[in-house]
């Protein structure tokens, strides 16, 4: 991390002093909503580092200095990198090409290493808390063992209340740090692809779109999405309370049944909506955007690659459920949930990829001919145009404008003041995108903040064992969680493009 910080400072200084360092900027790279999300996750990552510092300070007598310094260096790294990506995400650098490529690749690998470290700590914590009860202190001793200066762990118990707050707090903030590392990795990769790139602005013209959320919309997608989001939060709270605090098997079965029913309904609606959106795209007259776009290429690759994680979990669950006995109601719900998860990922990927490859709507060429003639004027004051045409013999009668070619002035004014007709396909596509966006948010929140039906349902554990099934989930589930957040970012872009 220190090397990356030094390189970022070198990059910022060298590009600011050389006027020819950045000859062009990629308008597709680093949109404002992506950089805003990066800042949001960076803030939570800094809070997590503060909690880590507070927690590790409770064990300063039995921890190495490197272990204590790590969250401090990581906090500095997050601040410097966030500033760097905010101002430089669109750069196409043309100086020090080899050094720039090496520095960006080093930054990318550092972010991936931080991501892998966070995923490992978070997955181990969740797996141990689900599989082994009353072993919290054993888990933390295992996590701290690498940094111990002595073999004794008796003095390293987290007994104070403030220590417990720090310990629980930074594990709850791990999902934000994980997403920050992945967001930063994606933006750095696009910068690496743009090193030395020249953009032809004639073939790479980008229409500026004004995304107006509260105009020209039916609010159906937003309302239904908010209902799913609020319901999902309620299901998550009830699920966590009943599974973690209750010792009765009936309570656990009820929580699993409620969780599976909610996800089946949500995934079923999302699958139907994605199919409808893909059908609408078949009738959309917008042309396909075939220009070179590293950002879009990366988005598609990440969507397809991250979906493989959830595909793997669903596949192994289906095999375990079909081969296991007895087949009760929870097993049937689990099987339906796994099948719908595969279908929903497939249909959503098709819908998003189709939307990302469509060109933005162009409305200028759709005006009627009288309206085109009025738009050709530099300024038009509609209130000053008289709807009453004077007699031809009157001295004050104005001569007819040659550009209107005999068109009545009142018709021209009515044509200019007529409301624009909005394509119904775009309305439906925007509603579909907003609904899917909110649904993906709740499907990210539930596994990211503790819902693990893979461990609470004993079918897969009994079939694969206590070692193989946790390994499958710990490897594949982080990709599934990242898929949801990346789908949110892609759906927001699809909504804006519609």
């Amino acid at each position: 991390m220190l090397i990356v910080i030094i390189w970022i400072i070198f990059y910022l200084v060298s590009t600011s002093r050389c006027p020819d360092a950045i000859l062009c900027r990629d308008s597709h790279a680093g949109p404002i909503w992506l950089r805003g999300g990066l800042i949001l996750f960076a803030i939570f990552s800094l809070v997590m580092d503060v909690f880590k510092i507070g927690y590790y300070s409770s064990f300063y007598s039995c921890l190495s200095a490197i272990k204590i310094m790590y969250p401090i260096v990581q906090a500095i790294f997050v601040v410097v990198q966030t500033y760097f990506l905010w101002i430089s995400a669109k750069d196409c650098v043309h100086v020090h090409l080899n050094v720039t490529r090496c520095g960006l690749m080093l930054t990318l690998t550092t972010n991936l290493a931080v991501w892998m470290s966070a995923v490992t700590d978070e997955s181990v914590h969740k797996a141990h808390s689900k599989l082994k009860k009353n072993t919290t202190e054993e888990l933390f001793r295992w996590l701290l063992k690498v940094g111990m200066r002595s073999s004794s762990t008796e003095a390293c118990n987290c007994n104070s209340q403030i220590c417990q707050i720090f310990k629980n707090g930074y594990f709850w903030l791990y999902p934000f740090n994980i997403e920050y590392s992945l967001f930063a990795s994606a933006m750095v990769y696009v910068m690496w692809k743009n090193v030395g790139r020249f953009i032809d602005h004639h073939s790479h013209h980008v229409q500026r779109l004004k995304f107006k959320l509260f105009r020209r919309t039916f609010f159906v997608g937003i309302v239904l999405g908010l209902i799913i989001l609020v319901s999902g939060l309620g299901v998550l709270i009830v699920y966590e309370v009943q599974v973690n605090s209750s010792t009765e098997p009936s309570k656990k079965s009820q929580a699993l049944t409620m969780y599976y029913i909610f996800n089946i309904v949500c995934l079923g609606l999302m699958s139907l909506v994605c199919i409808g959106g893909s059908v609408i795209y078949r009738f959309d007259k917008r042309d396909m955007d075939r220009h070179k776009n590293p950002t879009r290429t990366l988005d598609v690759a990440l969507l397809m690659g991250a979906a493989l994680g959830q595909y793997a979990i669903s596949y192994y669950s289906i095999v375990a459920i079909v081969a296991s006995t007895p087949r009760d109601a929870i097993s049937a719900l689990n099987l339906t949930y796994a099948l719908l998860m595969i279908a929903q990922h497939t249909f959503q990927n098709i819908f998003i990829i189709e939307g990302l490859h469509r060109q933005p709507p162009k409305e200028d060429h759709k005006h009627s001919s009288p309206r085109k003639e009025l738009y050709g004027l530099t300024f038009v004051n509609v209130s000053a145009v008289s709807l009453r045409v004077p007699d031809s013999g009157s001295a004050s009668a104005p001569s007819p404008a040659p550009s209107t070619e005999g068109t009545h002035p009142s018709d021209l004014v009515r044509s200019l003041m007529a409301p624009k007709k909005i394509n119904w396909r775009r309305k439906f596509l925007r509603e579909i995108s907003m609904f899917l966006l909110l649904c993906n948010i709740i499907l990210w929140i539930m596994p990211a903040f503790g819902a693990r039906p893979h461990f609470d349902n004993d079918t897969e554990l009994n079939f694969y064992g206590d070692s193989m099934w946790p390994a499958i989930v710990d490897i594949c589930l982080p990709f599934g969680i990242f898929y949801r957040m990346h789908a949110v970012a892609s759906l927001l872009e699809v909504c804006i493009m519609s």
Side-chain angles (χ1 to χ4, degrees), residues 37-51 78 169-170 172-178 180 444 449:
L38 184 75
I39 290 180
L40 177 64
F41 290 133
I43 293 173
F44 283 105
S45 297
L46 292 175
V47 176
M48 186 200 73
D49 290 328
V50 172
F51 276 74
V78 168
Y170 88 82
W172 278 102
L173 293 171
Y174 258 128
F176 298 102
N177 181 248
I178 291 171
Y180 171 81
W444 172 77
F449 291 92

Side-chain angles (χ1 to χ4, degrees), residues 179-293:
E179 296 302 328
Y180 171 81
S181 299
L182 292 174
F183 268 50
S185 299
M187 297 176 71
V188 170
Y189 173 79
V190 174
M191 287 187 64
W192 179 77
K193 292 286 290 184
N194 284 331
V195 173
R197 181 185 175 199
F198 289 93
I199 298 178
D200 185 3
H201 293 282
H202 295 285
S203 62
H204 198 262
H205 175 69
V206 177
Q207 182 182 0
R208 292 186 176 271
L209 299 175
K210 295 182 179 179
F211 179 55
K212 299 178 180 179
L213 183 62
F214 300 106
R215 290 184 61 184
R216 300 172 184 174
T217 181
F218 296 129
F219 294 102
V220 177
I222 299 176
V223 172
L224 290 179
L226 288 175
I227 293 174
I228 295 292
L229 180 62
V230 174
S231 302
L233 291 175
V235 169
L236 176 62
I237 294 172
V238 175
Y239 176 86
E240 285 293 313
V241 170
Q242 291 190 356
V243 168
N244 295 329
S245 62
S246 177
T247 58
E248 299 179 8
S250 59
K251 294 289 186 180
K252 182 178 178 181
S253 299
Q254 292 175 3
L256 284 171
T257 302
M258 176 187 61
Y259 181 88
Y260 284 134
I261 290 176
F262 170 79
N263 279 271
I264 288 172
V265 173
C266 182
L267 293 173
L269 289 175
M270 294 174 70
S271 300
L272 293 176
V273 166
C274 289
I275 293 174
S278 300
V279 172
I280 293 176
Y281 273 127
R282 296 296 93 190
F283 298 96
D284 197 351
K285 296 181 180 180
R286 286 182 294 166
D287 296 331
M288 300 293 288
D289 187 1
R290 306 186 185 279
H291 295 121
K292 183 180 179 181
N293 189 342

Side-chain angles (χ1 to χ4, degrees), residues 64-270:
S64 64
I66 296 178
K67 191 76 174 180
I68 299 175
M69 288 294 297
Y70 176 78
I72 300 175
V73 176
Q74 185 178 14
I76 299 174
F77 171 75
V78 168
V79 172
V80 174
Q81 181 177 245
T82 303
Y83 174 76
F84 163 68
L85 292 176
W86 177 265
I87 66 173
S88 306
K90 298 178 180 291
D91 292 352
C92 297
V93 185
H94 293 87
V95 295
H96 309 300
L97 298 183
N98 293 331
V99 176
T100 303
R101 288 192 179 99
C102 291
L104 290 173
M105 191 53 60
L106 177 62
T107 307
L108 175 62
T109 53
T110 302
N111 280 283
L112 292 178
V114 173
W115 170 73
M116 292 178 63
S117 175
V119 166
T120 303
D121 290 348
E122 197 265 348
S123 298
V124 169
H125 171 72
K126 293 296 182 183
H128 279 251
S129 62
K130 292 291 183 181
L131 295 176
K132 296 180 181 180
K133 303 298 182 181
N134 301 323
T135 57
T136 307
E137 293 302 326
E138 176 187 345
L139 168 65
F140 277 90
R141 291 173 192 170
W142 182 85
L143 290 175
L144 292 170
K145 192 175 294 183
V146 178
M148 293 291 180
R149 284 192 297 199
S150 62
S151 59
S152 175
T153 59
E154 296 299 328
C156 296
N157 293 328
C158 186
N159 298 321
S160 63
Q161 185 177 2
I162 188 67
C163 179
Q164 291 289 336
I165 294 175
F166 286 142
K167 180 184 70 174
N168 296 326
Y170 88 82
F171 269 112
W172 278 102
L173 293 171
Y174 258 128
F176 298 102
N177 181 248
I178 291 171
E179 296 302 328
Y180 171 81
S181 299
L182 292 174
F183 268 50
S185 299
M187 297 176 71
V188 170
Y189 173 79
V190 174
M191 287 187 64
W192 179 77
K193 292 286 290 184
N194 284 331
V195 173
R197 181 185 175 199
F198 289 93
I199 298 178
D200 185 3
H201 293 282
H202 295 285
S203 62
H204 198 262
H205 175 69
V206 177
Q207 182 182 0
R208 292 186 176 271
L209 299 175
K210 295 182 179 179
F211 179 55
K212 299 178 180 179
L213 183 62
F214 300 106
R215 290 184 61 184
R216 300 172 184 174
T217 181
F218 296 129
F219 294 102
V220 177
I222 299 176
V223 172
L224 290 179
L226 288 175
I227 293 174
I228 295 292
L229 180 62
V230 174
S231 302
L233 291 175
V235 169
L236 176 62
I237 294 172
V238 175
Y239 176 86
E240 285 293 313
V241 170
Q242 291 190 356
V243 168
N244 295 329
S245 62
S246 177
T247 58
E248 299 179 8
S250 59
K251 294 289 186 180
K252 182 178 178 181
S253 299
Q254 292 175 3
L256 284 171
T257 302
M258 176 187 61
Y259 181 88
Y260 284 134
I261 290 176
F262 170 79
N263 279 271
I264 288 172
V265 173
C266 182
L267 293 173
L269 289 175
M270 294 174 70

Side-chain angles (χ1 to χ4, degrees), residues 294-356:
T295 304
R296 183 178 59 208
T297 303
L298 178 62
D299 288 339
V300 174
L302 290 177
L303 281 173
M304 300 297 290
L308 296 178
Q310 193 60 57
Y311 283 158
I313 294 178
S314 299
Y315 169 78
Y316 286 113
S317 294
I318 293 171
V319 172
I321 295 168
V322 172
S324 300
T325 55
R327 296 182 176 89
D328 52 1
I330 293 182
S331 298
L333 291 173
N334 192 9
L335 178 62
T336 306
Y337 167 71
L339 291 173
L340 279 175
M341 188 68 74
I342 295 176
Q344 193 274 327
H345 277 72
T346 303
F347 294 139
Q348 182 169 269
N349 282 346
I350 294 173
F351 173 76
I352 293 177
I353 293 172
E354 189 82 18
L356 291 176

Side-chain angles (χ1 to χ4, degrees), residues 364 367 370-378 380 415-416 420:
D364 293 340
H367 302 298
R371 197 164 180 174
K372 281 184 179 180
E373 292 161 358
L374 280 179
Y375 276 5
L377 301 176
T378 305
V380 176
S415 173
L416 181 63
K420 297 181 180 179

Side-chain angles (χ1 to χ4, degrees), residues 426-439:
R426 296 181 198 160
K427 288 185 177 181
F428 279 109
L429 290 174
R430 179 170 293 183
E431 298 295 332
I432 289 171
S433 301
M434 292 303 301
F435 174 75
L436 292 175
L437 186 148
L438 294 172
C439 290

